[in-house]
Amino acid sequence: MKTTPPQLRILSIDIGGSSVKATILDSKGDLTMDYQKIATPKPANPDNIIKAIKTLVKNYPPYDRVSVGFPGYVRNGIVKTAPNLGTDFWADVDFRKRLTEELGQDTQVVNDADMQGLGVVKGKGLEMVITLGTGFGTALLMDGHLLPHLEVSHHPVSKGRDYDEYIGDRALDEIGEKKWNRRIRKVFQILKTVFNYDYLYIGGGNSDLLDFKLDKNMKIVTNADGIKGGARLWQEDKHPVTHVAMATPTK
């Protein structure tokens, strides 16, 4: 079902609201070097992000392909929205084309939660991946295949606030960790009831702040785990839903 040239080296990049992270993977998704990061520039417009990426990977070993997880709505490599970086900067930017030109290798750009999902799931049943960071990212996979993405982060959850506003970085700063954890408990119960997932994976920088015991079918995953999804973007996959989901991911 899936094949990748055995010697392929993939530069895998994760763009976040606070940092840009990158490593080089082999064709199986194993890290060939520790991932490194650089602060997300301000303003986080395309020129500055590209400059940050080039600075970060300047001394990296050679690579053959590039995979990018982007925090926003992406269609066929073209960014449509970027709520945590600035949609005004990013709307209709062909980021895949620009990075291909700047880095000199074929590039794929997908939603960051989708790429993380490809890197962490077991590939059995309905699995959900969420990221707790600047905003709230989600991905759904069935038997290892990405499903069409839902705009969960922008769905109202409490008093007209969406998930980004309710449990994102800004909310955490305003209400503190104790109250934020109470909100997270509520969100987890909603996700369990609505999606009936077999397994839930929790990533993002704020996942370390969880202060309660997780269910047996829940697991915290690291950025290093998630960035491995960059290899799977270059695997030959005949599953039609996965192909569509990769082409039209959202945050």
Side-chain angles (χ1 to χ4, degrees):
M1 286 293 293
K2 304 183 183 71
T3 59
T4 308
Q7 303 303 319
L8 200 64
R9 295 161 299 183
I10 301 145
L11 173 62
S12 187
I13 302 169
D14 178 31
I15 299 172
S18 59
S19 66
V20 178
K21 298 172 281 290
T23 188
I24 293 181
L25 310 171
D26 64 18
S27 58
K28 297 179 181 179
D30 293 326
L31 277 67
T32 64
M33 58 178 286
D34 291 337
Y35 82 86
Q36 300 173 18
K37 63 182 179 180
I38 190 171
T40 301
K42 306 295 182 184
N45 57 43
D47 287 343
N48 286 345
I49 290 290
I50 289 172
K51 183 179 179 180
I53 290 172
K54 293 177 74 172
T55 298
L56 178 61
V57 307
K58 181 178 180 180
N59 296 316
Y60 274 34
Y63 48 87
D64 309 297
R65 299 286 189 276
V66 181
S67 296
V68 180
F70 184 85
Y73 181 97
V74 183
R75 176 174 293 172
N76 296 323
I78 299 172
V79 176
K80 298 299 181 180
T81 66
N84 295 315
L85 299 182
T87 296
D88 290 345
F89 295 136
W90 287 93
D92 296 321
V93 170
D94 193 336
F95 199 37
R96 178 174 62 186
K97 180 180 179 181
R98 289 201 58 181
L99 282 179
T100 298
E101 293 171 349
E102 294 284 349
L103 299 177
Q105 300 293 355
D106 288 344
T107 300
Q108 292 202 54
V109 181
V110 298
N111 171 262
D112 54 353
D114 281 346
M115 191 167 86
Q116 183 168 53
L118 288 170
V120 303
V121 299
K122 298 177 181 178
K124 296 180 180 179
L126 179 61
E127 297 175 283
M128 187 172 192
V129 180
I130 66 171
T131 57
L132 304 175
T134 305
F136 178 68
T138 61
L140 284 169
L141 299 93
M142 175 61 77
D143 294 332
H145 301 289
L146 277 170
L147 299 178
H149 208 101
L150 303 175
E151 287 289 315
V152 176
S153 63
H154 301 302
H155 190 280
V157 63
S158 176
K159 298 179 181 178
R161 293 169 295 189
D162 63 19
Y163 285 86
D164 277 358
E165 296 167 327
Y166 190 61
I167 57 171
D169 263 347
R170 190 172 299 176
L172 175 60
D173 290 341
E174 289 176 356
I175 65 177
E177 291 184 24
K178 186 175 181 179
K179 188 172 181 180
W180 180 82
N181 268 279
R182 290 202 297 268
R183 289 186 178 183
I184 293 292
R185 284 178 177 268
K186 175 182 175 181
V187 168
F188 283 180
Q189 186 58 49
I190 292 171
L191 298 179
K192 182 178 180 180
T193 301
V194 172
F195 293 97
N196 291 297
Y197 52 77
D198 293 304
Y199 216 95
L200 177 70
Y201 302 86
I202 307 156
N206 293 338
S207 61
D208 292 338
L209 303 178
L210 299 178
D211 64 4
F212 53 92
K213 186 177 180 180
L214 301 177
D215 295 342
K216 291 182 179 180
N217 64 338
M218 301 166 70
K219 177 183 179 182
I220 293 176
V221 294
T222 68
N223 288 324
D225 294 325
I227 210 166
K228 295 177 182 179
R232 288 202 50 200
L233 292 179
W234 294 101
Q235 292 173 348
E236 182 182 359
D237 191 337
K238 302 302 184 181
H239 191 278
V241 175
T242 303
H243 178 74
V244 172
M246 285 184 180
T248 60
T250 70
K251 181 179 182 300

